[in-house]
Amino acid sequence: MLAVDLKIYRNSALRASPDPLMALREIVEFPDPRLRTKARPVTVFDAQLTQLIADMFETMYEAPGIGLAATQVDFHQQLLVLDVSEEKNAPMVIINPRIVDSKGSQVYQEGCLSVPGIFADVERAESVRVEAQDIDGKPLVIEADGLLAVCIQHEMDHLVGKLFVDYLSPLKRELVRKKLAKQRRNADSVAASA
Ligand code: K1U
Ligand code: ZN
């Protein structure tokens, strides 16, 4: 019975959340081709979008993560959520983002909820100026540096179908694919024997 329950939990798009008004969404994992989808701009700012954003925050905090792009929950519009604060009290919603200026470079050891258990150094701009829209569609300008800049660039890559492992050599990317396949086989055999 437990194995069946685990299977349903792993495969269902919506998972039970402690808050009845929010739902945990399934995070699509590498090498799923849906992660390569190019997101379209958000044009409708309605209650459905607000619900999706609430679900994305719930999913990101539960993972836990510091960012989540709509692509990762199989919604292909230009939307991302972030919270890089220690206290998890600084949620940000960024819609239809464009980097209009960038300066310098930094290397940060990145992770990704779509590539679980894998971490790698990636070089990105040290600071970025981003023009975007907020949850109501109003213009938003963000000046970011450090981890916030890294996270925004990482999430914006998701919106064009790019993953941090794409910055690795083909050989390292193949090792990542094999490591994830092994992790999944192990998780499946634990679920089957439970
Ligand atoms: O896009 C994602 O999958 C989220 C990703 C964001 C990110 C992390 C590090 C560098 C760039 C972008 C994550 O949140 S991975 C998890 C993680 O980094 C973390 C989790 C808990 C506490 C602190 C960090
Ligand atoms: Zn990611």
Side-chain angles (χ1 to χ4, degrees):
M1 190 58 191
L2 183 58
V4 174
D5 287 343
L6 279 172
K7 233 185 183 112
I8 292 167
Y9 182 82
R10 282 162 62 90
N11 292 337
S12 61
L14 295 179
R15 289 154 45 201
S17 157
D19 185 332
L21 297 177
M22 297 188 224
L24 294 172
R25 305 250 174 168
E26 181 191 10
I27 297 176
V28 178
E29 291 187 3
F30 177 78
D32 192 311
R34 291 175 291 176
L35 289 170
R36 299 308 185 177
T37 311
K38 215 169 171 303
R40 285 171 281 108
V42 173
T43 54
V44 180
F45 295 80
D46 62 1
Q48 229 179 310
L49 186 74
T50 305
Q51 182 63 57
L52 171 67
I53 290 167
D55 291 351
M56 285 176 62
F57 274 118
E58 182 83 343
T59 305
M60 178 190 82
Y61 286 127
E62 195 262 352
I66 57 172
L68 191 68
T71 309
Q72 294 176 277
V73 293
D74 201 23
F75 184 82
H76 301 288
Q77 296 191 18
Q78 294 169 17
L79 160 66
L80 55 96
V81 298
L82 302 169
D83 187 346
V84 300
S85 69
E86 289 278 327
E87 305 78 15
K88 298 293 153 221
N89 61 359
M92 293 175 72
V93 178
I94 304 180
I95 296 175
N96 297 333
R98 283 186 313 127
I99 294 176
V100 294
D101 195 17
S102 64
K103 289 192 180 71
S105 74
Q106 60 177 321
V107 175
Y108 190 88
Q109 191 176 63
E110 297 190 12
C112 180
L113 301 176
S114 294
V115 193
I118 307 291
F119 299 88
D121 283 350
V122 178
E123 185 177 348
R124 300 193 188 267
E126 162 58 24
S127 66
V128 289
R129 180 182 170 88
V130 177
E131 290 181 1
Q133 285 169 278
D134 70 10
I135 193 167
D136 299 313
K138 296 200 186 96
L140 182 67
V141 178
I142 300 156
E143 303 268 8
D145 60 12
L147 178 58
L148 180 59
V150 168
C151 197
I152 289 174
Q153 292 171 82
H154 176 114
E155 302 310 334
M156 285 184 68
D157 269 357
H158 276 300
L159 300 179
V160 293
K162 189 163 183 171
L163 295 166
F164 83 113
V165 290
D166 298 343
Y167 293 97
L168 306 178
S169 68
L171 182 64
K172 280 192 180 157
R173 203 161 50 248
E174 183 55 19
L175 287 175
V176 166
R177 205 187 54 73
K178 284 188 175 148
K179 188 174 171 187
L180 287 174
K182 191 174 173 188
Q183 275 176 202
R184 275 182 208 120
R185 276 199 307 277
N186 289 344
D188 285 346
S189 70
V190 168
S193 64

